[in-house]
Amino acid sequence: MRDRPWWQDAIGYQVYLPSFQDSDGDGWGDLPGLISRLGHLHDLGVTLLWISPFHPSPMRDHGYDVADYRGVDPRYGTLDDVDKLLCAAHERGIRVVADLVVNHTSSEHPWFRSARRSRTDPMRDRYIWRDPAPDGGPPNNWLSHFGGPAWTLDEHTGQYYLHLFTPDQPDLNWQNPEIADEVDDILRFWFDRGLDGFRIDTAHYLTKHPGLPDNPWLAAEDVPVQGGVAAEWLRQDHRYDIEQPSAMDIHRRWRAIADFYHAVLIGEVYILDPARLATYVQADGLHSTFWFGLVESGWAPERVATMLRAAAAAAPTLAWVQSSHDRKRAVTRYGSARRAIAVATLLMGLPGIPFLYNGEELGLPDGTIPPGHAQDPLAAADGGSQSRDGARTPMPWEPGPGLGFTTAPTAWLPFGNRRPSDTVAVQQDDPFSPLSIHRRLIAARARTACARTAPLWLEDSGDVLGYRTGSVVVAANLSEAPHPFDPGPGRWRCEFDTDDPEADRVPAELAPGQAVMVRQESSPAVV
């Protein structure tokens, strides 16, 4: 019998590196700073750390525009710092994955700088170039996530290049076999250094329809209501620019390499339909992929219940998140930390990989960004309505100037008007703080790992959403009124209760926002 893959029982944690810990007083988080805070992650119970891109970059999209896939940006440290991080994390039982951003490169990458010299340059075919349309405009109607056409005219060579994100992020041409060979080597370079896997950025974007036909426009009644530049992107049926089946062939190729190193591949596949999402984690595809249904949701208990049931049924290896560096924090969207912790409890009991986003364990809402201090290029593109800066403000470690994040008078982003009660130092010894509750929750998940199976959802439980997984029942009261709670016949022991740090007895009633994880100690006697 084959051993259970290590990542199936992992507790994930996302570090947005510029905002986690500054070690040299420049107001910018870095790798030595992260190393100095690994104790916090270990004490929390984290076993899988995902760090945002640290490669050399002009930072037009904060590192998601890579100029050298084998290097480290000096703002973050050195290759030696990466090695030290991997060693220090592994000593604490924490595996490390990094971002793999290969739908596009930076426009400052040597490949693209060479490619735009002439139409016959050897690097030209590593990107997607087309002649202008007959009217001199873009070759087709594809759109950029950041607004406007997904094409920019290169005046020097007279052709347009494709970029589904900013013009500083030209898309790679995955029909060119040189790209696949190069990326294979990049994976092996980092796996040989000890990296434990990759989070695959925009994993479903890699390949495009060979003919580059126009995307159909959606009927007005089918367009989701959303402001900012995203509104334009959502007007199209993205039939030809993303979600091409050929992307999965690339995933399979990477999977063979990753499996050789016992590494994990977790896709960023922004598909909210669980059935479609599940196709990316079948057989020899990606090991896991993030499900973003909760990240896109406000506080709507019935919708949360419906989405969780559908997603859990679709695949047993999803990565569960309710906050990220790309969206408003769950506490802001839900209206309270208590609600976010209740949902986190539900995620912690499911098969797959639950992830926390840095600061989520502190119950943080979005930080406040004063006018004129925005750093997000998406905010610049649409006037701030879709800004991601509020979710990216520096981690509050302790009260006082710099929040323990930096000794600099200012950080790269404003500190966000954090209160002392938001900090790790203040929450550390408070048994009722979000930090203490998350520690207990993660410990309960670890204790019940061997009991975890596909969830069987509790029926007729009113506003209490719950499920049974093996000998464990996980439940949360998502309503605004108390409700009775009965996990079923037999003797039960409470493994976790949001409201009682010392609980071992199962509560007969759940207060609004209260969540529990209980284990069956014996079944009822058969007469």
Side-chain angles (χ1 to χ4, degrees):
M1 184 175 178
R2 202 166 70 179
D3 290 340
R4 183 177 174 85
W6 62 264
W7 50 268
Q8 286 192 1
D9 295 314
I11 302 291
Y13 188 96
Q14 178 194 355
V15 161
Y16 190 67
L17 199 52
S19 297
F20 196 64
Q21 179 64 60
D22 169 27
S23 71
D24 57 8
D26 64 356
W28 181 266
D30 48 41
L31 291 166
L34 171 55
I35 294 170
S36 74
R37 295 296 188 180
L38 287 176
H40 169 73
L41 302 186
H42 178 265
D43 292 345
L44 183 59
V46 170
T47 59
L48 178 59
L49 168 62
W50 157 35
I51 49 180
S52 59
F54 50 74
H55 304 297
S57 168
M59 298 293 170
R60 306 282 167 70
D61 191 15
H62 295 158
Y64 286 90
D65 47 329
V66 178
D68 177 4
Y69 289 102
R70 293 177 177 84
V72 175
D73 195 289
R75 283 167 282 197
Y76 292 121
T78 64
L79 270 175
D80 185 54
D81 289 326
V82 175
D83 295 338
K84 290 177 181 176
L85 169 66
L86 294 174
C87 182
H90 292 162
E91 287 177 351
R92 291 169 171 81
I94 301 173
R95 313 263 188 155
V96 182
V97 301
D99 260 302
L100 183 68
V101 187
V102 289
N103 171 73
H104 49 266
T105 70
S106 165
S107 58
E108 297 300 313
H109 194 288
W111 298 347
F112 191 72
R113 295 176 68 180
S114 179
R116 67 193 317 175
R117 290 174 186 160
S118 76
R119 295 192 182 195
T120 59
D121 188 274
M123 296 291 171
R124 186 76 170 183
D125 195 44
R126 293 194 175 189
Y127 298 88
I128 299 173
W129 301 86
R130 290 295 184 273
D131 289 331
D135 65 358
N140 64 22
N141 72 347
W142 292 3
L143 299 171
S144 162
H145 268 286
F146 286 76
W151 297 92
T152 290
L153 180 65
D154 180 65
E155 299 284 354
H156 177 65
T157 59
Q159 284 189 315
Y160 283 87
Y161 66 88
L162 178 68
H163 52 87
L164 294 183
F165 294 90
T166 72
D168 303 302
Q169 296 165 291
D171 280 36
L172 288 165
N173 176 20
W174 275 93
Q175 288 189 319
N176 183 343
E178 293 178 4
I179 297 298
D181 291 341
E182 287 278 0
V183 175
D184 284 356
D185 288 344
I186 290 166
L187 265 63
R188 293 189 182 98
F189 173 85
W190 289 106
F191 289 153
D192 284 338
R193 296 193 86 92
L195 195 71
D196 299 294
F198 285 99
R199 175 262 195 186
I200 314 297
D201 186 69
T202 56
H204 55 318
Y205 278 39
L206 303 177
T207 59
K208 284 72 178 170
H209 189 286
L212 306 185
D214 282 352
N215 280 325
W217 295 95
L218 294 173
E221 60 270 19
D222 296 328
V223 177
V225 178
Q226 186 167 332
V229 296
E232 187 175 18
W233 170 269
L234 293 172
R235 290 177 58 213
Q236 284 191 349
D237 174 3
H238 292 275
R239 191 175 300 176
Y240 302 117
D241 51 352
I242 62 175
E243 278 196 75
Q244 301 303 298
S246 51
M248 296 186 194
D249 294 332
I250 300 169
H251 301 165
R252 295 185 188 100
R253 179 169 174 153
W254 293 344
R255 173 70 176 263
I257 297 172
D259 283 351
F260 177 81
Y261 287 90
H262 304 289
V264 66
L265 301 176
I266 307 173
E268 184 210 20
V269 181
Y270 228 101
I271 296 173
L272 301 186
D273 174 23
R276 279 167 51 207
L277 182 64
T279 62
Y280 287 86
V281 291
Q282 291 178 352
D284 54 353
L286 300 172
H287 296 96
S288 179
T289 183
F290 290 99
W291 176 68
F292 295 106
L294 292 176
V295 172
E296 294 291 346
S297 178
W299 186 244
E302 289 186 6
R303 183 166 183 255
V304 169
T306 300
M307 291 192 301
L308 275 183
R309 287 173 182 261
T317 62
L318 297 181
W320 304 102
V321 288
Q322 57 176 340
S323 291
S324 80
H325 67 291
D326 276 335
R327 293 293 187 272
K328 292 184 180 298
R329 289 182 177 272
V331 172
T332 294
R333 289 182 285 104
Y334 297 165
S336 76
R338 185 170 177 82
R339 289 171 173 174
I341 292 171
V343 175
T345 304
L346 294 169
L347 299 183
M348 283 288 173
L350 292 172
I353 312 172
F355 269 84
L356 295 175
Y357 172 53
N358 58 223
E360 190 173 350
E361 73 273 27
L362 303 175
L364 295 184
D366 278 6
T368 303
I369 305 297
H373 290 266
Q375 297 290 332
D376 182 9
L378 187 59
D382 71 2
S385 66
Q386 300 296 314
S387 176
R388 300 168 292 183
D389 286 335
R392 299 177 176 186
T393 55
M395 183 80 170
W397 294 102
E398 59 191 48
L403 297 176
F405 166 74
T406 185
T407 57
T410 59
W412 77 280
L413 265 180
F415 294 113
N417 288 355
R418 299 301 183 195
R419 303 164 301 174
S421 59
D422 290 329
T423 65
V424 173
V426 171
Q427 293 194 21
Q428 183 83 20
D429 298 320
D430 177 0
F432 297 98
S433 71
L435 176 57
S436 295
I437 295 172
H438 277 97
R439 283 178 175 169
R440 292 191 289 109
L441 174 58
I442 291 170
R445 176 183 166 90
R447 289 194 303 271
T448 59
C450 62
R452 196 167 299 118
T453 59
L456 298 174
W457 295 87
L458 305 182
E459 301 295 336
D460 301 322
S461 54
D463 290 315
V464 174
L465 178 61
Y467 56 86
R468 179 164 183 153
T469 172
S471 60
V472 173
V473 166
V474 182
N477 181 1
L478 303 184
S479 77
E480 299 303 317
H483 277 275
F485 172 64
D486 181 5
R491 287 171 44 202
W492 296 82
R493 174 184 174 83
C494 188
E495 294 283 348
F496 167 78
D497 185 336
T498 52
D499 292 7
D500 188 349
E502 306 296 332
D504 58 2
R505 299 183 63 181
V506 178
E509 182 180 82
L510 297 182
Q514 185 177 3
V516 294
M517 188 179 294
V518 301
R519 187 204 290 261
Q520 189 173 41
E521 292 185 319
S522 66
S523 300
V526 178
V527 179

